[in-house]
Amino acid sequence: STALNYNAMANVSDTSCLYPPTNDSCASAIAIACNSSATGNNTGASANSPSTGAAIWYSVVGNGGDITVSTCGGASFDTRLYAFDACGGTQVAYNDDYCGLQSEFTFTSTAGTVYYIAATGYSSSTTTGPITVSVSCTAPPISGCTDTTACNYDPIAESDDGSCIYPGNPDCVNGPDLLVMPFESSMYLQ
């Protein structure tokens, strides 16, 4: 009775029952690890994407770097991709037709946030079938002090985190511990 093509008049099963995919909703999204892919089939999926297409759902955990999600070469029909920061949450990415009729997008993730991906046909009238969703993740940028004049300059830092310290600061291990400054006819310590 849960089959999509259930026939209440049938008294013998002919094994032709069609069931919705297990990841037919955001709540039942299948996890995909970074730098891997999953193949599903949206045949029989409900029209539960923002575009009303039959969607199958996946999830990926953000690592603080960029996440790329793609169906390029992974479907024989027109696809759309959506990413949300929660089921029923804010849409963080969307694409239609990045590579021919398939889709791809990249967004910057927040470490630890679970993102939900809807892979769908273009609309409710689009052919359904197998869809391979690929997820690739880049490492988050290395943060640190990027000012070459600072005592704690980090040459591998890609983004400044505001931690730079300068000569005169007692935490500046490469700078002077004591500065003697002239003050009229005497000296004082700074």
Side-chain angles (χ1 to χ4, degrees):
S1 68
T2 59
L4 299 171
N5 58 341
Y6 174 70
N7 181 350
M9 303 301 292
N11 55 18
V12 175
S13 175
D14 63 2
T15 67
S16 67
C17 293
L18 299 174
Y19 295 92
T22 57
N23 56 338
D24 186 40
S25 69
C26 183
S28 61
I30 295 173
I32 302 178
C34 283
N35 305 316
S36 63
S37 61
T39 300
N41 193 316
N42 69 337
T43 302
S46 55
N48 58 11
S49 77
S51 63
T52 69
I56 50 179
W57 291 81
Y58 296 95
S59 65
V60 62
V61 178
N63 65 354
D66 287 344
I67 295 177
T68 299
V69 180
S70 178
T71 61
C72 294
S76 62
F77 54 91
D78 193 358
T79 64
R80 289 188 193 198
L81 282 170
Y82 298 85
F84 300 90
D85 63 359
C87 287
T90 301
Q91 181 177 306
V92 297
Y94 164 78
N95 183 257
D96 174 36
D97 298 345
Y98 176 84
C99 45
L101 294 177
Q102 278 78 56
S103 307
E104 180 176 300
F105 56 65
T106 300
F107 65 95
T108 301
S109 69
T110 300
T113 298
V114 177
Y115 294 94
Y116 295 89
I117 301 159
T120 180
Y122 179 77
S123 70
S124 59
S125 61
T126 301
T127 303
T128 58
I131 304 175
T132 299
V133 176
S134 300
V135 175
S136 59
C137 305
T138 60
I142 298 168
S143 60
C145 177
T146 60
D147 186 343
T148 57
T149 64
C151 299
N152 62 334
Y153 166 67
D154 185 350
I156 64 168
E158 299 167 324
S159 66
D160 197 287
D161 64 1
S163 68
C164 295
I165 56 173
Y166 298 93
N169 184 315
D171 293 329
C172 188
V173 294
N174 295 330
D177 292 331
L178 176 67
L179 292 176
V180 178
M181 306 295 288
F183 182 69
E184 292 184 20
S185 62
S186 63
M187 297 204 177
Y188 72 94
L189 300 177
Q190 181 177 354

